[in-house]
């Protein structure tokens, strides 16, 4: 529910939004964005994902690829 609300708010503000349902999916999307030379400039993430790779672990992996991501 929160993901949908934030998505709508940011889209209405003119931002391109890409959503993921897990840390693994978020990391894969981030890797693809870097490969395609279209990196994300901001990542909003729930740090307490209960199943699979959580937000803290995902953030650490993302920062290994790009330490400047916000």
């Amino acid at each position: 529910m929160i993901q949908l609300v934030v998505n709508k708010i940011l889209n209405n503000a003119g931002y391109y939004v890409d959503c993921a349902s897990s840390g693994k999916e978020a990391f894969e999307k981030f890797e693809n964005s870097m490969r395609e030379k279209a990196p994300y400039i901001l990542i909003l993430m729930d740090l307490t994902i209960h199943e699979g790779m959580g937000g803290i672990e995902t953030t650490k992996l993302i920062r290994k690829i790009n330490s400047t991501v916000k």
Side-chain angles (χ1 to χ4, degrees), residues 18-34:
D18 192 7
C19 295
S21 297
S22 68
K24 181 178 187 261
E25 181 184 2
F27 182 70
E28 289 170 354
K29 286 184 175 205
F30 184 80
E31 279 187 312
N32 289 336
S33 77
M34 295 295 290

Side-chain angles (χ1 to χ4, degrees), residues 1-46:
M1 178 63 103
I2 293 170
Q3 185 183 69
L4 293 174
V5 172
V6 172
N7 186 337
K8 188 169 191 128
I9 290 169
L10 292 173
N11 273 315
N12 288 340
Y15 293 98
Y16 168 75
V17 178
D18 192 7
C19 295
S21 297
S22 68
K24 181 178 187 261
E25 181 184 2
F27 182 70
E28 289 170 354
K29 286 184 175 205
F30 184 80
E31 279 187 312
N32 289 336
S33 77
M34 295 295 290
R35 226 182 341 267
E36 294 172 7
K37 306 275 192 246
Y40 298 122
I41 58 168
L42 176 70
I43 299 172
L44 299 174
M45 191 176 314
D46 183 347

Side-chain angles (χ1 to χ4, degrees), residues 50-65:
H50 296 290
E51 293 181 24
M53 186 167 49
I56 294 172
E57 184 180 355
T58 305
T59 301
K60 287 178 183 177
L61 289 174
I62 287 171
R63 288 217 168 126
K64 284 182 181 179
I65 295 173

